[in-house]
Amino acid sequence: MTDAGRVRQTGEVAKEEASVTASQAGQAGREVAGSAAEQAKAVAGEARQQAGSAIHDLRRRVRDEGQGQTERLAGTVRKWADDLENMTQNAPGDSPARGLVTQAANGGRRAADYLDQHGVDGLVSDLQGFARRRPGVFLGGAVLAGVMAGRLMKAGKAAHSGDGDARQAPDTAEPVLPPGEPTPTELPDYPRVV
């Protein structure tokens, strides 16, 4: 074989080996891409599952907290109703206030029983039904409740700070003057002009 033949044969072998290597590299690249796609899908699925689990946990916690608050509210309303009932025992029998206070106490007990039986879900469901049946009354009640809540918060804040609704009075204290200076009420002696 001549040198030119050997070079040609070596070139063809190199070409075949490069083609095989390129084919193997392409297949390996496709396998890596497929594996990466599978892993990406698995990660996305895991993320969706964890997000769903977190949302479920959050809903459960909110519902549990709402239920606990509802139970405390029912207990507080029941205690107020009992206190009102105790007040009526000392009132004269023919007093109109006694009848009103007794009705308020009975209404309080019914409200506390309702909260105990239906919980937050029942309360929300009933409010939604009422809002659908009478939207104007519902919105008016919501505005009134918001105004009352704002006034109660303002009154509570004022009571907590100790100054009530009073405005701060201006400082009326006399300024401290150096010794020998006349006070604003003392006028210097000027000669009288007649």
Side-chain angles (χ1 to χ4, degrees), residues 56-124:
H56 178 73
D57 287 346
L58 180 63
R59 284 181 182 161
R60 183 183 48 78
R61 287 180 186 170
V62 167
R63 181 172 285 127
D64 291 348
E65 181 65 29
Q67 187 64 32
Q69 297 242 350
T70 303
E71 290 170 3
R72 285 191 292 277
L73 177 62
T76 301
V77 169
R78 188 170 280 111
K79 182 173 179 353
W80 288 350
D82 291 343
D83 290 346
L84 288 173
E85 185 69 31
N86 289 337
M87 287 173 40
T88 63
Q89 292 174 356
N90 296 331
D94 60 346
S95 171
R98 179 179 182 166
L100 291 174
V101 172
T102 301
Q103 286 179 355
N106 291 338
R109 282 195 191 91
R110 283 194 306 273
D113 290 343
Y114 175 85
L115 288 173
D116 281 340
Q117 290 173 0
H118 295 96
V120 176
D121 294 333
L123 183 63
V124 169

Side-chain angles (χ1 to χ4, degrees), residues 14 16 18 32 34-35 41 43 51 81-82 106 113 117 120 122 131 140 143 145 151 186-187 191:
E16 285 178 23
V32 167
S35 176
K41 287 179 184 176
V43 167
D82 291 343
N106 291 338
D113 290 343
Q117 290 173 0
V120 176
V143 167
R151 296 298 296 166
E186 297 175 5
L187 296 175

